[in-house]
Amino acid sequence: MTQASSVGPASRGGPTEVIQRAAEAELLEAALLSGAHVLLEGPPGTGKSTLLRRVASARHIPFVMVEGNAELTPSRLIGHFDPALVLSKGYVPEIFEDGPLLEALRTGGLLYVEELNRIPEETLNVLLTAMSELEINVPRLGRVAAAAGFALVAAMNPFDAVGTARVSGALYDRTCRISMDYQSAEAEQAIVDLRTDGLDPQWRAKVVELVRSTREHEDIRFGSSVRGAIDVARLAVELARMRSTPTDDWHVGLAAARVSLSGRIRLQDACDRTPEQVITDLYVDVFGAEPVAPEDHSDSDPEGSPGEP
């Protein structure tokens, strides 16, 4: 189901602190102040939505978010007349239920469309009209003009080819593009620290190193975002508590890494191994080989000599 939410000037949905994105924030705010629409391109977990929430909150303007997918039809985007009330009142404006696009147009807010390259072409055409004309004509409702401040900000992962469509040149022609790549290791450690509590800094750094290594391994087509590092850390804390072991226990970390990262990576088509096997190899590279358990001599005869039968 398509999800849309209006979060208003005060954003919600988690921390809005932007780590190492000052340049992108400046460009985004300048583009919006100039009246431009913006396309944020980058892999998942690079802070696209967090960046926009921060800018919208700083400017105290409405913020309407909609999830882009195949179910985002024009009627879901624009809105519709309440069928039950149409029977008794007819097509009158007061029974029209605004969709996210009309809500952003009327309030002069930011319409944020996630996963732009997953929406149907007919829905994209509606967005193009609103971007170009700053208004939209709705059958039986009439013309809805954009209030001052309206802008569309879309985000997409240009490297994901599964379930996506090619974005037309018409969209690029109507937007300013801001490319967002992964942040530095130090920034990602700060992000993990922001969303976890009481972790050993050295262990946390290794978790981030593990996640970053998934983006460079020859068997992996797409690696994990920093969200994977956050989940590894959080899961390890809870698993260690359940097992009554330290958080940095080697086996706890491996279990947390396999669960948190195996679904986030995409292997090369020619790879004949499982994601869990690849994650295990990367884990050993970062955290070292499995510790050897000390030998148990409790059953040996302490009084016997080596030469006795």
Side-chain angles (χ1 to χ4, degrees):
M1 178 177 293
T2 300
Q3 296 180 344
S5 62
S6 175
V7 297
S11 61
R12 69 184 182 189
T16 56
E17 183 173 345
V18 182
I19 306 294
Q20 205 181 70
R21 289 299 187 199
E24 291 86 349
E26 182 183 48
L27 291 172
L28 175 58
E29 185 166 7
L32 294 175
L33 288 171
S34 73
H37 305 288
V38 180
L39 176 64
L40 302 176
E41 277 194 358
T46 49
K48 297 184 290 294
S49 59
T50 302
L51 175 66
L52 182 57
R53 288 177 187 272
R54 177 67 177 271
V55 171
S57 177
R59 292 181 57 196
H60 302 287
I61 56 177
F63 177 76
V64 184
M65 184 176 71
V66 61
E67 178 186 343
N69 55 43
E71 295 181 358
L72 185 60
T73 60
S75 62
R76 289 181 182 271
L77 181 67
I78 296 171
H80 62 277
F81 286 96
D82 188 320
L85 294 178
V86 165
L87 296 175
S88 59
K89 297 185 177 182
Y91 291 98
V92 293
E94 54 265 27
I95 67 169
F96 189 86
E97 298 182 0
D98 287 352
L101 174 57
L102 259 63
E103 181 181 350
L105 283 168
R106 295 187 198 272
T107 61
L110 296 181
L111 176 64
Y112 177 51
V113 182
E114 289 191 307
E115 305 292 348
L116 178 74
N117 50 345
R118 293 183 181 275
I119 68 175
E121 183 178 359
E122 57 183 356
T123 306
L124 181 59
N125 290 335
V126 173
L127 289 174
L128 290 173
T129 299
M131 294 163 65
S132 299
E133 307 299 331
L134 294 181
E135 65 177 35
I136 189 169
N137 284 293
V138 183
R140 297 190 176 92
L141 180 66
R143 173 178 173 270
V144 178
F150 166 76
L152 179 136
V153 179
M156 70 179 208
N157 173 14
F159 308 109
D160 190 357
V162 179
T164 62
R166 188 173 183 177
V167 175
S168 68
L171 188 283
Y172 282 108
D173 188 51
R174 289 165 172 80
T175 57
C176 292
R177 174 180 171 272
I178 299 177
S179 177
M180 297 177 63
D181 203 349
Y182 291 111
Q183 290 137 298
S184 67
E186 293 75 16
E188 293 194 342
Q189 290 175 33
I191 293 171
V192 175
D193 184 49
L194 188 66
R195 290 161 173 78
T196 55
D197 295 316
L199 296 180
D200 175 68
Q202 292 184 338
W203 183 80
R204 183 183 66 223
K206 286 188 175 182
V207 170
V208 170
E209 181 184 349
L210 169 65
V211 168
R212 292 175 66 85
S213 71
T214 66
R215 306 168 196 163
E216 302 172 354
H217 194 276
E218 61 181 7
D219 287 337
I220 301 177
R221 188 167 72 251
F222 299 122
S224 170
S225 73
V226 69
R227 296 191 189 107
I230 295 170
D231 278 355
V232 171
R234 288 176 172 174
L235 199 153
V237 168
E238 296 303 323
L239 193 58
R241 180 182 60 81
M242 295 168 65
R243 294 183 179 180
S244 299
T245 61
T247 302
D248 60 358
D249 178 85
W250 191 93
H251 296 91
V252 164
L254 176 60
R258 286 165 64 102
V259 170
S260 302
L261 302 180
S262 60
R264 284 184 160 96
I265 64 172
R266 295 292 179 270
L267 299 181
Q268 300 286 0
D269 294 337
C271 181
D272 59 358
R273 299 194 296 165
T274 67
E276 288 80 6
Q277 290 173 327
V278 175
I279 293 299
T280 299
D281 286 351
L282 291 174
Y283 184 86
V284 170
D285 289 342
V286 174
F287 288 88
E290 179 179 6
V292 178
E295 295 184 12
D296 186 0
H297 300 285
S298 59
D299 293 336
S300 61
D301 185 358
E303 296 183 2
S305 63
E308 290 180 350

